[in-house]
Amino acid sequence: MKKIFICKILAVLLVLCIAGAAHAVPWKTVKPGKYFPLFGKPIQLESVHTTREICKDGKCYYSYKLIIKRPSRDDGWGRADFRGFKARLHYWSATIGYNPYITLAKEKRVFQNTHQDPHKIVVHIMQGLRPGKHRISVGIIPYPMIGNYSLKKVIQLYRGPYVTFLKDLKTLLSAINPAAAALDIVISHTADATINATIRSLATRYGQVFDLEVLAKMPDLHKKTAQKAALMLAMRNLVPQPDKSHPIYTTDKRLNGLVAKQGFKPGERVKAKTKVPYKFYKYRLGKEICGDGIDNNGNNQIDEGCHFKREIIIDDNECDDDTIKLFVDGKNWGMNPAGHIRHYNVSGLTRGQHKVTVLAVKSGGKAFGCQDNKIVTYSIKLGKGITFSGGGQYHSGRLNEGSKKHYNVIVK
């Protein structure tokens, strides 16, 4: 019982790990933070999370938050004290080359929040990112403890005192250790240029740099027009791949020409420039005519509901859009509708043994839920009066595209 209990716990933990990994955002550190006397041990990026999708002016952007481990001298409230030199700490993150001063001085948004763990802090990247690869810088900006003001308030109201503070900081660090004065604060003729140079210097020298691959969030294309679907994909830096050669038939005239099925599920995260296939509804009205091999009523099944004396039923098994062809004694009986069922009328077969062959024609591919782009999964079910030579009336399997599987069946 104890072993069973432990196994159950391990299974639950494994599921949780898998679930957590499914939401992970791909990133890689390319430059770790460095020691700085005022900060102590450097910051450490622990995880990156997507927060939301913002679409405007024909493009979609994604915002992110970072979970950062505070440096060792941060008291957990964003304050640092080094040899009596006290400062508040502001955490900042943006793409390399982004002008930090403009955002800090003028924006109204908050770019850092407390974390439930006082040794950590939540830092938001300062701008929305398009799907693709980006290099991100995250750093710390010290500022004087003037009242309860934020860094933005200090910049807006106390540019002069802030420049003096930065000069004092450089003097202090130079006195302690000349090597530590690599802050390289440029004392310029304007306070704004000094602040901007300081932020860039701190982020470059003592911050952390990482590469982030921004993934697009797959939109729901179902029942959208061809033009709307293409626009929605292009907005997310994805490549539209409409397929009008293989429609999904429908008896609902209102759906004619609208998107019926898409590769990749809505909400799924995919890389920029990914080709997204999708199919359209095509209106067709009629009743199912048994035995003609046509989907007369437009429900993507052939000869369903027909009462054949003997029949063989072929279906894809694990994912949509697999196509399979059936042969009986070498005779071609046709294919199933992509990803759907076909009932084959084999009432004319004589009693005795016959050879049934399944040919894997085309895989739906990963875009339509298959595990592999070249694997076809299928099931074959025998109707009344037919059994496999080894017994039973059902088999399923996996085949490479173009491969065959032979079965011997007995007609009673």
Side-chain angles (χ1 to χ4, degrees):
M1 289 293 290
K2 187 176 181 180
K3 288 183 178 179
I4 294 174
F5 179 71
I6 292 174
C7 288
K8 286 184 177 180
I9 291 178
L10 291 174
V12 171
L13 290 174
L14 179 61
V15 170
L16 290 175
C17 288
I18 293 172
H23 299 286
V25 174
W27 61 276
K28 179 182 179 182
T29 299
V30 294
K31 176 187 169 296
K34 292 182 179 180
Y35 175 84
F36 186 57
L38 182 63
F39 306 150
K41 291 182 180 179
I43 60 175
Q44 183 178 341
L45 175 61
E46 291 197 347
S47 58
V48 182
H49 306 270
T50 311
T51 51
R52 62 188 181 129
E53 179 184 66
I54 306 160
C55 297
K56 61 180 182 179
D57 301 327
K59 294 182 179 180
C60 291
Y61 304 84
Y62 297 88
S63 56
Y64 287 84
K65 66 179 181 180
L66 318 175
I67 308 301
I68 303 288
K69 187 175 181 181
R70 297 175 186 262
S72 59
R73 292 193 184 280
D74 189 319
D75 65 358
W77 295 93
R79 298 174 301 208
D81 187 341
F82 179 66
R83 297 195 177 185
F85 189 89
K86 298 180 179 180
R88 285 199 174 93
L89 305 178
H90 179 88
Y91 294 83
W92 170 89
S93 183
T95 56
I96 297 292
Y98 189 71
N99 189 324
Y101 170 75
I102 293 175
T103 302
L104 289 171
K106 299 180 180 180
E107 289 284 350
K108 297 180 180 180
R109 290 173 288 173
V110 177
F111 293 100
Q112 66 177 51
N113 301 99
T114 56
H115 191 276
Q116 59 184 5
D117 183 343
H119 299 294
K120 300 177 183 179
I121 190 167
V122 180
V123 181
H124 297 265
I125 297 178
M126 285 187 166
Q127 78 272 38
L129 303 175
R130 290 278 288 155
K133 295 182 179 180
H134 300 266
R135 182 153 288 186
I136 310 294
S137 175
V138 56
I140 312 171
I141 309 163
Y143 63 102
M145 300 183 77
I146 303 175
N148 271 335
Y149 285 138
S150 65
L151 173 62
K152 182 176 75 173
K153 213 61 167 172
V154 169
I155 291 175
Q156 290 175 336
L157 303 178
Y158 295 96
R159 288 182 173 87
Y162 191 15
V163 173
T164 302
F165 166 83
L166 295 175
K167 288 180 180 178
D168 292 342
L169 173 59
K170 183 175 182 181
T171 301
L172 172 67
L173 295 174
S174 299
I176 296 166
N177 180 0
L183 187 60
D184 290 339
I185 299 174
V186 180
I187 305 302
S188 174
H189 61 282
T190 65
D192 294 347
T194 302
I195 294 167
N196 198 46
T198 302
I199 294 171
R200 288 184 181 278
S201 180
L202 285 166
T204 302
R205 291 183 177 276
Y206 305 107
Q208 190 169 340
V209 178
F210 66 96
D211 284 341
L212 171 67
E213 180 158 17
V214 176
L215 303 178
K217 183 180 180 183
M218 183 60 58
D220 186 357
L221 305 180
H222 188 232
K223 296 183 181 180
K224 300 295 190 297
T225 63
Q227 183 179 6
K228 180 66 174 177
L231 176 63
M232 291 173 70
L233 293 173
M235 288 174 67
R236 293 161 176 82
N237 209 2
L238 301 173
V239 180
Q241 200 171 49
D243 177 7
K244 295 187 177 181
S245 299
H246 302 88
I248 305 296
Y249 292 108
T250 178
T251 56
D252 187 345
K253 196 171 185 178
R254 295 171 298 179
L255 297 178
N256 189 53
L258 302 183
V259 176
K261 182 188 292 186
Q262 68 185 76
F264 306 104
K265 298 177 181 178
E268 186 175 350
R269 299 284 178 173
V270 294
K271 292 183 178 182
K273 305 298 183 182
T274 296
K275 294 180 180 179
V276 181
Y278 49 102
K279 300 185 178 186
F280 299 90
Y281 285 113
K282 186 173 181 179
Y283 173 68
R284 177 187 282 180
L285 181 63
K287 295 182 179 180
E288 195 68 12
I289 300 173
C290 296
D292 67 350
I294 298 173
D295 178 20
N296 306 105
N297 61 5
N299 67 351
N300 295 296
Q301 299 184 43
I302 294 179
D303 287 349
E304 77 287 353
C306 297
H307 300 287
F308 299 134
K309 181 179 178 181
R310 296 186 181 91
E311 66 177 359
I312 297 175
I313 304 168
I314 294 290
D315 191 10
D316 72 334
N317 199 23
E318 293 178 8
C319 59
D320 289 341
D321 274 23
D322 281 348
T323 49
I324 305 113
K325 187 176 289 187
L326 178 71
F327 294 84
V328 180
D329 295 331
K331 179 184 176 182
N332 182 0
W333 287 69
M335 294 188 297
N336 67 313
H340 291 277
I341 299 171
R342 179 168 181 175
H343 295 247
Y344 295 86
N345 180 11
V346 294
S347 301
L349 292 181
T350 58
R351 293 184 179 181
Q353 182 169 293
H354 296 269
K355 184 178 180 180
V356 171
T357 301
V358 173
L359 170 63
V361 178
K362 180 68 177 175
S363 170
K366 291 183 179 180
F368 286 99
C370 303
Q371 293 183 2
D372 192 286
N373 283 327
K374 296 296 182 180
I375 296 293
V376 171
T377 62
Y378 69 93
S379 66
I380 175 170
K381 183 179 179 181
L382 305 179
K384 292 182 180 180
I386 312 176
T387 61
F388 290 103
S389 58
Q393 292 180 292
Y394 179 86
H395 273 291
S396 64
R398 296 164 58 87
L399 292 171
N400 291 320
E401 283 184 351
S403 298
K404 298 178 180 179
K405 176 67 176 179
H406 302 290
Y407 297 96
N408 290 322
V409 302
I410 306 296
V411 176
K412 300 178 181 178

